Amino acid sequence: MASFPHYVKLNNGAHMPIIGLGTFQVKAGELEAAVETAIEYGYRHIDTAWAYTNEKDIGNALKRVFDAGKLKREDIFVVSKLPNGGHHRDKVLHYLQESLDDLQLSYVDLYLVHFPLSVVPTDGNAVFPRKDGKLVIDYEADLVDTWKGMEDAVDAGMTKAIGLSNFNSEQIKRIYENARIKPANLQVECHAYFPQFKLFEFCKELNITFTAYGPLGNPSLSRFLKETEGIDAVLPNLLKDTSIQAIAERNQKTPAQILLRWLIQRGIIVIPKSSKPIRIKENFEIFDFNLSEEEVNQINALDKNIRLFKYDGMEDHPNFPFKIPF
């Protein structure tokens, strides 16, 4: 069995663990335990964001781990993200400092611009503030100006590396061409039904590493829409795909492990989300087997070019990233 690297090298020389714990929508009462469980099982990468409103819980968990002498700060790779209300250069350090205070850290390892969508914060909402049901767009913000603020954060020692999330190829290229410090990572939705082949190759050419959020699809989306919007929707569930299940049975692995292995064999970083100890453990156990070329091609063929994460009501923003193919 050929060994497989547990890390992806960033353009600043740092090693980013290829699997991390995703924390989006993990229930507040479960998150601290999930972080500590993940660290016990070997995770060394935690993904969060100002927008997730969970950084205090993560900070509490990390402090306990550090205080107990289980890890030192340099042993863990922490990712956070700038909210949409922080797109002016002079706001970047403000929001990053808020994240650092909640995380009880002096720096993060990677800081991402969460979305290219600039907004005017209202009532403390710097994520997707709305007025009369419409997004409160900040038309004065400019993405190149935002990036200069991100570079300021590196200069200030508040983050080791900077990158982007939910940007398309044209937006990435504009940042790259105007950057003093080049983007180190792009985080986007990526899974077997939406494999992002073209965007991944585009990033490889620019030496930008690639992180897949929603690497298992979005199996909880149907329930989320029912609970929050009252919508009954039958949506694709990758974990129940018969091709994935057959490959899982052949390898004596779970469907989730197959989907994660397929991504890391492509050199893509994954951040599966779970608060259940058994799932957290299983998701990390993806380094002791290889998918065959035939199995990889089978999974490649599942491409449906469909996004399972929805951003309805944001299409009118001039920087909405999903108007072009990639």
Side-chain angles (χ1 to χ4, degrees), residues 31-44:
L31 183 55
E32 290 188 32
V35 170
E36 292 185 74
T37 298
I39 288 171
E40 287 291 332
Y41 285 133
Y43 288 73
R44 295 295 181 264

Side-chain angles (χ1 to χ4, degrees), residues 2 5 20 22 30 50 59 79 97-98 111 115 138 142 148 153 157 170-171 180 189 214 239 241 262 269 273 313:
E30 299 175 351
W50 187 97
V79 181
Q97 188 60 57
E98 286 196 356
Y111 196 51
F115 279 90
D138 183 350
D142 181 83
K148 291 184 186 303
E170 292 178 0
Q171 293 166 332
R180 173 173 58 89
E189 177 181 353
L239 296 173
D241 187 284
W262 171 72
I269 300 151
K273 176 203 80 173

Side-chain angles (χ1 to χ4, degrees), residues 56 68-69 88 99 115 118 126 142 158 161 169 185 219-220 242 245 267 300:
K56 286 185 178 179
H88 289 270
S99 289
F115 279 90
S118 54
D142 181 83
M158 298 166 74
S169 58
N185 181 262
S220 62
T242 54
Q245 290 183 333
N300 289 349

Side-chain angles (χ1 to χ4, degrees), residues 137-211:
I137 299 172
D138 183 350
Y139 290 100
E140 296 181 2
D142 181 83
L143 292 175
V144 171
D145 183 63
T146 308
W147 192 254
K148 291 184 186 303
M150 299 290 282
E151 293 173 330
D152 292 341
V154 177
D155 294 340
M158 298 166 74
T159 182
K160 301 289 188 182
I162 47 179
L164 306 166
S165 178
N166 296 301
F167 277 54
N168 64 37
S169 58
E170 292 178 0
Q171 293 166 332
I172 296 166
K173 186 177 181 182
R174 181 165 180 252
I175 295 293
Y176 188 90
E177 290 178 345
N178 288 279
R180 173 173 58 89
I181 301 173
K182 303 298 185 185
N185 181 262
L186 175 71
Q187 185 180 129
V188 290
E189 177 181 353
C190 181
H191 46 75
Y193 286 166
F194 194 65
Q196 297 273 27
F197 292 125
K198 290 183 179 179
L199 188 58
F200 179 51
E201 290 303 317
F202 174 83
C203 286
K204 278 175 67 176
E205 290 176 7
L206 299 180
N207 194 26
I208 297 172
T209 60
F210 205 86
T211 299

Side-chain angles (χ1 to χ4, degrees), residues 92 97 105 134 143 160 170 253 276 292 296 307:
V92 175
Q97 188 60 57
L105 300 176
K134 292 187 177 180
L143 292 175
K160 301 289 188 182
E170 292 178 0
K253 290 288 182 178
K276 297 177 180 177
S292 68
V296 168
R307 296 181 185 275

Side-chain angles (χ1 to χ4, degrees), residues 22 24 47 52 81 112 114-115 165-167 186-191 194 196 210-218 263 268-273 307-311 322:
F24 177 55
D47 181 90
Y52 299 169
K81 309 178 190 77
L112 307 176
H114 203 159
F115 279 90
S165 178
N166 296 301
F167 277 54
L186 175 71
Q187 185 180 129
V188 290
E189 177 181 353
C190 181
H191 46 75
F194 194 65
Q196 297 273 27
F210 205 86
T211 299
Y213 73 72
L216 308 180
N218 196 351
L263 285 163
I268 293 175
I269 300 151
V270 294
I271 46 170
K273 176 203 80 173
R307 296 181 185 275
L308 297 177
F309 288 76
K310 306 299 180 184
Y311 300 101
F322 307 137

Side-chain angles (χ1 to χ4, degrees), residues 101-147:
D101 289 345
D102 286 346
L103 291 164
Q104 302 179 56
L105 300 176
S106 60
Y107 69 91
V108 291
D109 297 273
L110 175 64
Y111 196 51
L112 307 176
V113 182
H114 203 159
F115 279 90
L117 308 181
S118 54
V119 301
V120 179
T122 59
D123 299 324
N125 182 357
V127 186
F128 297 122
R130 296 178 185 275
K131 185 176 181 180
D132 300 325
K134 292 187 177 180
L135 201 64
V136 186
I137 299 172
D138 183 350
Y139 290 100
E140 296 181 2
D142 181 83
L143 292 175
V144 171
D145 183 63
T146 308
W147 192 254

